[in-house]
Amino acid sequence: MSRASRMTRTQFEEGLFGVLRWVVIAFLILITVVPFYYMLLLSVKPIDALLLDPGQLWISAKEFTLATYESVLKPTSEGGQGFLSLLLNSALVAVATVLLTLAAAVPGAYAVSRLKFFGGRQVSALFLAVYLFPATLLAVPLFVMFAKMGLSGSLVGLAIVYIAQTVPVSIYMLKNYFVTIPHSIEEAAAIDGASRLQTVRKIILPLALPTLMATGLYVFMIAWNEFLFALLFLAADPDRWTVSLGLQQLAGGIEVSKTVLMAGSVVLTLPVVALFFAAERLLTEGLTAGADKG
């Protein structure tokens, strides 16, 4: 094959894959943005306008309304859906889960990546083995155990369950970054008189900030959106419901309009979307950290 023909083939392949890349990007944007846009559109549209033309993909200034959000956020004592208190409950559980998960995962990941012990190479696989068991298999034993401990029906008990779910994968994610940090940095700190704890706190954690942010956001999304254990632990006490339970209640309510349901869906989705875009750079760095050395 001549050099000219090889160049022509290379140019053709580069052009083809360049076009295909944009086609794939456009397709992914279409299937992710359009449903969210339609949900947002329905949430600011009156129910009568929706019934007249459910397929309309725009809204006029005359039809625009925020009454659906007012209904969703207003307390139940005032005729609303009480999502404001549900958001607070979800935020408390999610933030507590993130903080306690990282507090447990950081020393665990550091130990796996730095200390030598029997079975050290297999421990990462053992951590992830917990995900081989479906949540439905663990739900009833956990509920019985926590009921005997007096933690059923409490946000504290729910947070503990989430921590048990998120610690293994958090250790795995953090370990993959810790192994890329050169030992020479810690050796230099030890020569300067720093203890292992001081080294972790003053050197390792600042270097691992992107990965900590990525792991924290991942844990937050799990705790924020989780439904099964929230239903199992909190169903008997509506005052302690999380926002995912409140949304399911809206979906099952015959008297609740679909526009109010869409407003509740937006309220559930926006905090995670806002956090993702706020931490996008750190999230990208954290997810790709160690890829060149791992």
Side-chain angles (χ1 to χ4, degrees):
M1 184 180 295
S2 65
R3 181 175 180 182
S5 60
R6 286 198 300 267
M7 289 294 294
T8 303
R9 181 177 177 180
T10 301
Q11 292 173 353
F12 172 77
E13 291 178 349
E14 290 178 352
L16 176 63
F17 286 113
V19 172
L20 289 178
R21 180 185 64 178
W22 288 109
V23 170
V24 171
I25 291 175
F27 175 72
L28 293 177
I29 292 176
L30 185 67
I31 64 176
T32 54
V33 174
V34 171
F36 183 78
Y37 167 77
Y38 190 62
M39 178 177 69
L40 185 62
L41 178 69
L42 295 186
S43 70
V44 293
K45 179 183 290 190
I47 185 62
D48 54 350
L50 173 62
L51 295 175
L52 288 175
D53 190 1
Q56 185 180 10
L57 295 180
W58 65 89
I59 184 172
S60 64
K62 183 179 179 180
E63 293 175 335
F64 181 84
T65 179
L66 293 177
T68 50
Y69 289 93
E70 182 181 354
S71 174
V72 165
L73 297 176
K74 188 184 299 183
T76 54
S77 59
E78 300 178 12
Q81 303 299 329
F83 262 50
L84 198 59
S85 62
L86 303 184
L87 287 171
L88 179 60
N89 290 341
S90 290
L92 289 174
V93 172
V95 171
T97 301
V98 170
L99 295 178
L100 295 177
T101 296
L102 291 180
V106 167
Y110 181 82
V112 172
S113 63
R114 285 294 190 262
L115 304 182
K116 295 182 179 180
F117 53 90
F118 177 76
R121 292 184 177 181
Q122 291 77 30
V123 71
S124 296
L126 293 176
F127 279 132
L128 295 181
V130 67
Y131 297 104
L132 296 176
F133 301 96
T136 52
L137 183 65
L138 304 175
V140 174
L142 285 174
F143 179 79
V144 173
M145 181 177 66
F146 276 68
K148 291 182 179 180
M149 297 170 59
L151 292 176
S152 64
S154 70
L155 297 179
V156 174
L158 185 62
I160 293 174
V161 172
Y162 291 166
I163 293 167
Q165 287 184 309
T166 55
V167 163
V169 70
S170 298
I171 291 178
Y172 184 81
M173 292 174 67
L174 292 173
K175 186 266 298 183
N176 287 338
Y177 179 79
F178 286 163
V179 296
T180 67
I181 299 177
H183 288 269
S184 58
I185 296 179
E186 297 180 57
E187 293 170 355
I191 293 175
D192 291 337
S195 64
R196 188 180 292 272
L197 182 60
Q198 289 175 326
T199 301
V200 172
R201 182 168 57 88
K202 296 182 179 180
I203 297 177
I204 302 299
L205 291 184
L207 290 175
L209 182 59
T211 301
L212 291 174
M213 290 291 295
T215 305
L217 182 57
Y218 177 74
V219 172
F220 183 91
M221 288 190 294
I222 291 176
W224 183 267
N225 295 314
E226 201 279 331
F227 175 76
L228 175 62
F229 288 105
L231 176 64
L232 187 66
F233 278 75
L234 305 176
D237 191 354
D239 291 335
R240 296 181 180 177
W241 280 5
T242 58
V243 69
S244 59
L245 286 180
L247 185 62
Q248 178 60 31
Q249 180 70 12
L250 284 184
I254 301 177
E255 71 283 356
V256 178
S257 67
K258 296 305 178 184
T259 55
V260 174
L261 175 61
M262 292 300 102
S265 300
V266 173
V267 169
L268 172 65
T269 306
L270 276 183
V272 174
V273 173
L275 279 176
F276 176 82
F277 281 107
E280 180 182 5
R281 181 179 61 83
L282 290 176
L283 177 63
T284 304
E285 293 178 4
L287 292 177
T288 58
D292 57 337
K293 299 180 182 180

